[in-house]
């Protein structure tokens, strides 16, 4: 029997006035050209990019950083370059990734000492930035006010240009990387300066790499007390390679550096190597290395080459044990690499867009899709609220339709567009209780979703670590009280579980409490309040792969506990997926103390360039 189904999709005006659930695996900026306004966008998993804002400032470059404020809350800083030559302070937008729409920053601030920034990091309640002009300065983050003070450190080695290129926090100190050169030539060894919270020098040392370029993601990667640093080497070389390009590791406890591998070693092992190292990403014991090279013909036409190699930390110094993971050729400059440890996706920027690798699966987002050439790319992993699970209605296989149930047919009409107030009234809530989702459609406001999930799942040491709302959808049935069977396609990563029986699928009620759907293990369970998961071939799924597409089958009875629309013949369902985490109870040591600890990395994630390297490099 056929039934009508419509997914509630909000109009563009609604999206402009409601807060988007501010969770994204990737936050990026992009520009059509160097001087154009910057597009701000998000990418959730392998979903299509969503452009959430356009800014008229920062056209000379942008920086993005995860950090923690004075209250211990997760925040994201987006710095928009005021002037590449150091004549105007950068505008910095502060976001709350758990609650703030990316369209509107939580706060905006400036610091006259911070112009043309390369990186940001947080320490002791302050947000710090480092500039190409060699300055390190800070903001007080108390009460989310982000007040700049006049505390500043400037690096100047023997009167030489010492641009700041990297900044991380570790063990109660900041560690700042400064390059050292005259103009575009005569590169010296770079410097590492250890600073306390008040920006007084605690120690300094030379490191081996020359010409560290902090504009690309993966140029420096922190793993506890180890700081991996990639340097370009001496002056840029077209139609060749830089033998002195280097990957090294710095022990932040001792300020000592150890070279790992140089480009001349790579070239000796592979004569086709005409690159320099441009970034690394660490994924557990695996390491991905990006290499960049370019050629220029007599008419000044550029061709860019990128390679990504896969190896291990143990084999990072042995090029013969590297595997060529991907080879790219592009007509636009762009370099950057980053690994998202939550989604297990490797992100690579190579000038002609962004590539995401979820295992062997490749997803390519072109420059047209993201809104221009990628400027900055950051992994945002702090929020527990996703942008939403996109539901695509499909026909329910006959074997999963109980007798007398109303099931979705394959000729679904076009989705209706309805006003927020209408649907708020139908399900018995206020319009302010609903928000627009990043994937389209509407759901309950973030705090309402969290309340529903926590009321069911949180107890003792178990907490709700992540939620992923589904858009509110509406169906009709042929007779009051009938059972509705609705089937939707969605990505495996949306379920927040690795097995169907472990899925936490929660219906959100009008009083913002939750009621949990039950997994249907057999056909006898195809009743109200149950669900099952099918593979793309309509078999019952035994496990869930994040990169595969599945069918979610929902069983909801008209006017039952899982129906939010109490009119006869109409069913409304706002729901969410939830993931829980359990904190082990500490085991006391014999002397009454406890053991354990963690090291958290900070700093700018993914700093990528926009223009041909020889034109973009080192503006001052």
């Amino acid at each position: 029997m056929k039934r009508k189904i419509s997914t509630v999709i909000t109009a563009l005006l609604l999206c402009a006035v409601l807060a988007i659930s501010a969770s994204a695996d990737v936050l990026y900026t992009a520009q059509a050209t160097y001087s154009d306004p910057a597009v701000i966008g998000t990418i959730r998993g392998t979903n299509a990019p969503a452009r959430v804002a356009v800014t008229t400032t920062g056209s000379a470059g942008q920086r993005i950083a995860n950090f923690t404020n004075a209250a211990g809350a997760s925040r994201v800083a987006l710095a928009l370059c005021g002037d590449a030559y150091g004549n105007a302070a950068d505008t910095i937008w502060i976001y709350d990734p758990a609650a703030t729409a990316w369209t509107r920053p939580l706060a905006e601030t400036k610091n006259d000492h911070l112009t043309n920034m390369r990186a940001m990091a947080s320490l002791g309640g302050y947000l710090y930035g480092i500039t190409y002009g060699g300055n390190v300065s800070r903001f007080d983050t108390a009460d989310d006010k982000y007040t700049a003070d006049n505390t500043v450190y400037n690096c100047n080695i023997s009167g030489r240009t010492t641009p700041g290129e990297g900044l991380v926090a570790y063990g109660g100190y900041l560690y700042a990387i400064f390059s050292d050169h005259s103009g575009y030539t005569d590169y010296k060894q770079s410097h590492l300066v250890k600073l306390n919270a008040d920006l007084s020098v605690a120690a300094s040392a030379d490191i081996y790499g020359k010409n560290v370029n902090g504009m690309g993601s993966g140029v420096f990667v922190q793993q506890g007390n180890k700081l991996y640093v990639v340097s370009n080497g001496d002056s840029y070389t077209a139609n060749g390679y830089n033998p002195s390009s280097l990957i090294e590791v710095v022990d932040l406890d001792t300020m000592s550096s150890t070279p790992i591998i140089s480009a001349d070693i790579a070239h000796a092992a592979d004569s086709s190597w005409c690159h320099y190292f441009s970034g690394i990403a660490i994924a557990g014991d695996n390491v991905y290395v990006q290499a960049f090279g370019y050629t220029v013909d007599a008419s000044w036409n550029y061709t860019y080459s990128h390679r990504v190699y896969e190896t291990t930390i143990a084999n990072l110094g042995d090029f013969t044990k590297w595997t060529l993971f991907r080879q790219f050729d592009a007509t636009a400059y762009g370099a950057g690499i980053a690994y998202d440890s939550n989604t297990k996706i490797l992100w690579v920027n190579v000038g002609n867009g962004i590539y995401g690798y979820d295992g062997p699966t490749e997803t390519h987002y072109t420059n047209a899709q993201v809104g221009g050439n990628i400027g900055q790319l950051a992994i945002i992993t702090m929020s527990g609220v996703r942008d939403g699970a996109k539901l695509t209605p499909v026909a329910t296989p006959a074997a999963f339709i109980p007798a007398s149930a109303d099931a979705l047919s394959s000729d679904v009409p076009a989705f209706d567009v309805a006003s927020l107030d209408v649907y708020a009234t139908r399900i018995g809530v206020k319009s302010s209780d609903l928000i627009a989702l990043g994937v389209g459609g509407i759901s309950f406001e973030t705090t309402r979703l969290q309340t529903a999930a926590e009321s069911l799942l949180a107890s003792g040491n178990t907490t709700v670590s992540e939620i992923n709302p589904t858009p509110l959808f509406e169906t009709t049935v042929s007779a009051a009280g009938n059972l509705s069977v609705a089937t939707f396609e969605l990505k495996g990563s949306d379920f927040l579980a690795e097995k169907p029986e472990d899925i936490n699928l929660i219906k959100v009620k009008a009083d913002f409490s939750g009621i949990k759907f039950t997994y249907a293990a057999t056909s006898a369970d195809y009743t109200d309040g149950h669900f099952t998961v099918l593979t793309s071939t309509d078999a019952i799924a035994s496990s869930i792969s994040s990169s595969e597409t599945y069918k979610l089958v929902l069983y909801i009875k008209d006017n039952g506990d899982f129906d939010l629309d109490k009119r006869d013949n109409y069913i409304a369902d706002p729901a969410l997926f939830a993931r829980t985490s359990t904190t082990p109870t500490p085991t006391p040591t014999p002397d009454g103390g406890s053991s354990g600890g963690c090291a958290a990395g900070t700093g700018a994630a993914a700093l990528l360039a926009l223009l041909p390297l020889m034109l973009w490099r080192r503006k001052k």
Side-chain angles (χ1 to χ4, degrees):
M1 182 179 296
K2 294 185 178 182
R3 64 161 185 157
K4 179 182 177 183
I5 178 169
S6 63
T7 298
V8 180
I9 302 176
T10 56
L12 292 176
L13 178 61
L14 174 63
C15 294
V17 299
L18 293 179
I20 295 174
S21 182
S23 168
D25 289 341
V26 173
L27 178 67
Y28 71 84
T29 63
Q31 296 168 261
T33 69
Y34 175 73
S35 59
D36 283 327
V39 172
I40 301 172
T42 63
I43 302 174
R44 173 63 210 178
T46 54
N47 290 329
R51 306 181 200 180
V52 295
V54 177
T55 175
T56 57
T57 187
S59 61
Q62 307 88 39
R63 297 292 178 271
I64 303 172
N66 301 299
F67 73 98
T68 303
N69 69 6
S74 296
R75 296 289 182 263
V76 175
L78 169 61
L80 304 167
C81 187
D83 179 74
Y85 300 93
N87 297 321
D90 292 3
T91 297
I92 302 177
W93 288 350
I94 307 296
Y95 295 93
D96 176 354
T100 304
W102 297 110
T103 52
R104 298 186 301 277
L106 176 70
E108 178 179 313
T109 188
K110 290 185 179 182
N111 183 326
D112 290 339
H113 299 292
L114 297 177
T115 66
N116 197 3
M117 282 200 294
R118 287 297 194 263
M120 292 174 281
S122 60
L123 176 69
Y126 289 95
L127 172 65
Y128 297 83
I130 188 170
T131 72
Y132 180 72
N135 285 346
V136 180
S137 192
R138 68 186 189 183
F139 301 89
D140 186 345
T141 68
D143 301 320
D144 274 330
K145 299 299 184 184
Y146 304 96
T147 305
D149 62 22
N150 291 317
T151 305
V152 62
Y153 167 78
N154 179 263
C155 184
N156 190 296
I157 307 297
S158 302
R160 297 175 65 90
T161 300
T162 49
E165 299 291 2
L167 189 67
V168 299
Y170 167 74
Y173 291 91
L174 295 168
Y175 293 82
I177 302 172
F178 295 92
S179 192
D180 188 348
H181 63 88
S182 294
Y184 298 97
T185 59
D186 192 20
Y187 289 93
K188 306 295 184 183
Q189 286 183 239
S190 298
H191 311 289
L192 184 69
V193 179
K194 181 179 180 180
L195 302 167
N196 66 18
D198 293 325
L199 300 181
S200 296
V201 177
S204 63
D206 288 343
I207 59 177
Y208 286 91
K210 299 178 181 179
N211 193 6
V212 175
N213 182 0
M215 298 183 69
S217 64
V219 171
F220 56 92
V221 177
Q222 183 184 1
Q223 297 282 304
N225 71 328
K226 298 295 191 294
L227 181 64
Y228 294 83
V229 182
V230 176
S231 53
N232 294 335
D234 293 319
S235 300
Y236 297 100
T237 303
N239 310 316
Y241 73 102
N242 293 340
S244 60
S245 181
L246 187 71
I247 300 175
E248 62 188 302
V249 60
V250 180
D251 186 322
L252 297 178
D253 288 321
T254 63
M255 296 283 286
S256 60
S257 177
T258 303
I260 300 178
I261 190 169
S262 59
D264 58 348
I265 294 176
H267 183 74
D270 179 2
S271 60
S272 71
W273 174 281
C274 291
H275 302 72
Y276 58 83
F277 302 115
S278 55
I280 65 171
I282 299 177
D285 291 331
N286 289 337
V287 178
Y288 296 89
V289 179
Q290 186 176 29
F292 170 80
Y294 65 100
T295 59
V296 184
D297 64 21
S299 300
W300 292 97
N301 296 311
Y302 286 80
T303 300
Y304 303 97
S305 173
H306 295 264
R307 291 180 177 180
V308 175
Y309 292 88
E310 183 177 18
T311 185
T312 64
I313 292 177
N315 294 328
L316 188 55
D318 186 351
F319 189 79
T320 64
K321 295 181 179 179
W322 291 21
T323 301
L324 183 61
F325 181 74
R326 290 292 188 275
Q327 167 81 44
F328 306 92
D329 294 308
T331 56
Y333 171 74
I337 187 167
Y339 179 73
D340 188 333
S341 59
N342 279 2
T343 63
K344 306 297 189 294
I345 296 176
L346 177 71
W347 294 98
V348 183
N349 176 46
V350 295
N352 61 346
I354 305 173
Y355 292 80
Y357 294 97
D358 179 8
T361 303
E362 175 184 288
T363 303
H364 178 207
Y365 303 116
T366 66
N367 287 352
Q369 287 176 292
V370 299
N373 299 320
I374 291 295
Q376 299 297 291
L377 173 70
I379 306 299
I380 305 298
T381 58
M382 300 173 295
S383 173
V385 183
R386 294 199 180 191
D387 283 337
K390 183 178 180 180
L391 301 179
T392 302
V394 294
T396 303
F400 298 93
I401 305 173
S404 74
D406 285 354
L408 172 66
S409 89
S410 58
D411 56 344
V412 181
F415 292 157
D416 296 330
V417 176
S419 71
L420 178 69
D421 291 339
V422 169
Y423 283 96
T425 300
R426 286 184 184 178
I427 61 179
V429 299
K430 299 177 181 178
S431 58
S432 59
D433 292 322
L434 301 176
I435 63 170
L437 293 176
V439 296
I442 60 176
S443 182
F444 282 107
E445 189 269 333
T446 300
T447 57
R448 306 300 194 186
L449 298 174
Q450 292 170 327
T451 297
E454 289 170 358
S455 68
L456 288 177
L457 304 177
S459 64
N461 295 337
T462 300
T463 59
V464 177
S465 58
E466 191 172 15
I467 60 176
N468 192 21
T470 66
L472 169 67
F473 69 87
E474 181 181 74
T475 75
T476 61
V477 291
S478 58
N482 271 15
L483 179 70
S484 168
V485 185
T487 301
F488 303 93
E489 283 188 343
L490 68 167
K491 295 284 289 185
S493 57
D494 285 324
F495 289 111
L496 305 185
E498 296 179 357
K499 295 180 179 180
E501 60 267 31
D502 294 336
I503 293 173
N504 291 311
L505 178 57
I506 297 171
K507 170 66 171 286
V508 185
K509 303 179 75 172
D511 62 358
F512 312 118
S513 64
I515 181 171
K516 189 176 178 181
F517 282 87
T518 302
Y519 176 65
T522 67
S523 58
D525 296 326
Y526 298 161
T527 58
D528 185 31
H530 284 74
F531 76 95
T532 194
V533 178
L534 310 179
T535 66
S536 59
T537 59
D538 295 338
I540 295 177
S542 59
S543 61
I544 297 173
S545 170
S546 61
S547 60
E548 297 295 325
T549 298
Y550 296 87
K551 296 178 180 179
L552 172 68
V553 185
L554 297 176
Y555 298 91
I556 304 172
K557 181 181 180 181
D558 180 42
N559 294 330
D561 289 341
F562 290 81
D563 178 14
L564 214 59
D565 190 329
K566 297 309 178 184
R567 296 178 300 165
D568 287 345
N569 301 85
Y570 289 89
I571 293 174
D573 181 68
L576 62 90
F577 297 104
R579 191 199 307 273
T580 61
S581 61
T582 301
T583 303
T585 301
T587 301
T589 57
D591 61 1
S594 62
S595 61
C598 65
T602 60
L607 307 175
L608 310 180
L610 299 173
L611 289 182
L613 189 56
M614 297 180 69
L615 301 177
W616 169 250
R617 172 73 174 169
R618 303 308 187 222
K619 295 201 172 183
K620 188 176 181 181

